[in-house]
């Protein structure tokens, strides 16, 4: 715009469209400018889009530098709020992301289900003893912890993959989705094969965990035997209830479709594993062993109990029972193996 003096009319200069067939420098320059300004899908140049993006980032950085922490605060306030869960309901129980790997089929194949799939039963009903046996299998193999790797049986090598394996689910779940395959119970209802789940919406990646309950370790129910998949590998250890940290936030669950009734988890005759017994053992199977030995005439070895913590009374009573079968040497060492366990049930 130009103004010749204070009384001259205001002269406006309109943008002149470049002629498509004009070869003059002005029209050529304007055609190039229009092409670079256009979106890529309309024929614009991709490099121009990158330049515009860099310019926008630079302007945002300048605004942050000028405004101090105001811009950062504005970005935090504008963080997206999780929407409703699939199928309706509040998003309060839904994490922003799964704490382990995504729900996946065996060996990492796509399972065809999302993180909040409808509940479904295990591939086949398991007894409590079978759940503990499967968990013990990973303990024996010392399966390394990994959120991205899958063990030879097909399950993901993190805490929720471990429980998915023990429960015989057809896929590796997460701590957020395991309750879809379970029912919530109370502390007084806990039995071997049940689980304790902790989900932390504030830190779902590193703050969530699940362990398998293996039986009470003391009569006051302040400690229990926990089977868990945690770094560096699978563990079975005496654990304070409900866990070492965030104790008040762990929730007990029981796998749906569990067979075998609501006993103490040791009624099945399958041998639970050699390391279930011996020095340091503290579980419901030790109690079961003692009771079976008492029924077979071993009460004289026990001044109290039997109880869940392995002791010399358990060893002597077991040895006496083995010798009564005519076994000698290593076959009568006082530590139950598959044959001893089978005889006690026969």
């Amino acid at each position: 715009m130009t103004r010749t003096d204070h009384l001259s009319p205001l002269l406006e200069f309109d943008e002149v469209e470049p002629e498509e067939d004009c070869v003059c420098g002005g029209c050529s320059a304007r055609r190039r400018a229009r092409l670079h300004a256009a979106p890529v899908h309309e024929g614009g140049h991709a490099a121009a889009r990158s330049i515009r993006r860099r310019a926008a980032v630079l302007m945002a950085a300048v605004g942050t530098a000028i405004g101090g922490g105001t811009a950062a605060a504005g970005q935090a306030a504008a963080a997206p709020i999780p929407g409703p869960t699939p199928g309706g309901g509040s998003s309060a129980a839904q994490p922003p992301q799964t704490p382990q790997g995504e729900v996946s089929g065996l060996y990492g194949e796509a399972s065809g289900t999302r993180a909040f799939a409808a509940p479904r039963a295990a591939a086949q009903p398991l007894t409590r003893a079978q759940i503990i046996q499967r968990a013990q299998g990973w303990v024996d193999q010392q399966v390394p912890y990994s959120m991205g790797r899958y063990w030879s049986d097909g399950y993901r090598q993190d805490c929720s993959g471990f429980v998915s394996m023990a429960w015989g689910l057809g896929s590796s779940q997460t701590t957020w989705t395991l309750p879809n395959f379970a029912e919530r119970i109370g502390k007084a209802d806990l039995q071997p094969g049940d689980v304790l789940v902790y989900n932390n919406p504030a830190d779902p990646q590193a703050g969530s965990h699940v362990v398998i309950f293996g039986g009470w370790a003391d009569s006051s129910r302040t400690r229990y035997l926990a089977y868990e998949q945690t770094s560096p590998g699978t563990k079975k250890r005496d654990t304070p209830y409900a866990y070492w940290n965030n104790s008040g936030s762990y929730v007990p669950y029981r796998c749906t479709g569990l067979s075998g009734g609501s006993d103490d988890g040791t009624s099945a005759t399958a041998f639970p594993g050699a390391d279930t017994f011996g020095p340091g053992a503290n579980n419901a199977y030790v109690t079961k062993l003692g009771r079976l030995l008492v029924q077979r005439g071993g009460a004289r070895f026990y001044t109290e109990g039997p109880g869940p913590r392995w002791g010399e009374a358990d060893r002597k009573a077991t040895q006496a029972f083995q010798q009564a079968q005519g076994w000698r040497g290593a076959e009568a060492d006082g530590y139950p193996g598959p044959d001893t366990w089978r005889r006690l049930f026969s």
Side-chain angles (χ1 to χ4, degrees):
M1 294 181 294
T2 62
R3 186 183 296 273
T4 56
D5 56 47
H6 68 282
L7 296 178
S8 300
L10 185 63
L11 301 180
E12 297 181 357
F13 293 86
D14 295 329
E15 180 70 21
V16 178
E17 292 294 325
E19 296 291 339
E20 296 300 330
D21 56 352
C22 182
V23 297
C24 76
C27 287
S28 297
R30 282 195 293 275
R31 281 197 297 270
R32 286 195 299 271
R34 288 179 58 194
L35 183 62
H36 279 273
V40 173
H41 68 274
E42 295 181 4
H45 200 283
R49 181 177 60 179
S50 176
I51 293 171
R52 290 194 298 272
R53 183 181 296 113
R54 287 198 297 269
V57 171
L58 178 60
M59 291 300 294
V62 171
T64 301
I66 295 174
T70 305
Q75 291 172 358
I81 299 174
T85 58
S90 169
S91 64
Q94 179 179 341
Q97 59 183 4
T98 54
Q100 294 83 42
E102 292 290 335
V103 175
S104 57
L106 300 183
Y107 304 99
E109 297 296 328
S111 65
T113 60
R114 298 306 300 161
F116 293 89
R120 60 185 177 85
Q124 55 182 327
L126 294 176
T127 65
R128 296 184 179 282
Q130 288 173 320
I131 292 174
I132 297 300
Q133 276 186 296
R134 292 166 72 94
Q136 182 64 48
W138 273 31
V139 173
D140 294 340
Q141 297 173 79
Q142 282 296 287
V143 176
Y145 179 87
S146 173
M147 292 171 59
R149 294 180 179 275
Y150 293 79
W151 195 238
S152 57
D153 54 17
Y155 291 92
R156 195 175 56 246
Q157 296 167 215
D158 55 26
C159 63
S160 51
F162 173 58
V163 172
S164 299
M165 176 277 300
W167 278 5
L169 303 181
S171 55
S172 293
Q173 297 295 311
T174 74
T175 57
W176 296 95
T177 61
L178 282 170
N180 289 343
F181 302 82
E183 58 180 323
R184 185 166 177 170
I185 59 175
K187 175 183 177 181
D189 301 319
L190 275 167
Q191 297 176 27
D194 297 334
V195 300
L196 292 161
V197 179
Y198 170 59
N199 278 318
N200 180 8
D203 187 8
Q205 183 72 22
S208 302
H209 193 45
V210 59
V211 302
I212 296 175
F213 180 84
W216 293 110
D218 59 8
S219 58
S220 60
R221 298 191 172 189
T222 60
R223 305 187 70 82
Y224 68 101
L225 184 68
Y227 295 80
E228 60 179 316
Q229 181 69 358
T230 184
S231 183
T234 320
K235 291 182 175 64
K236 180 177 72 173
R237 56 182 173 177
D238 188 297
T239 304
Y241 187 85
Y243 198 64
W244 305 94
N245 48 36
N246 301 305
S247 180
S249 299
Y250 276 79
V251 180
Y253 285 94
R254 175 169 298 158
C255 182
T256 56
L258 189 67
S259 64
S262 57
D263 55 26
D264 65 355
T266 63
S267 61
T269 60
F271 182 58
D275 63 349
T276 305
F277 309 101
N282 191 334
N283 57 74
Y285 286 99
V286 175
T287 303
K288 184 66 173 180
L289 172 70
R291 290 173 179 171
L292 290 170
L293 291 168
V294 168
Q295 293 173 7
R296 296 303 186 97
R300 68 184 187 276
F301 295 100
Y302 292 93
T303 57
E304 61 180 23
R309 193 179 297 277
W310 176 270
E312 187 63 10
D314 298 302
R315 191 194 67 79
K316 289 181 177 180
T318 302
Q319 186 175 49
F321 175 78
Q322 291 168 334
Q323 291 173 345
Q325 312 309 306
W327 302 338
R328 298 293 183 269
E331 293 181 337
D333 58 1
Y335 299 98
D339 292 336
T340 301
W341 192 255
R342 190 179 306 111
R343 287 290 181 93
L344 284 169
F345 275 96
S346 65

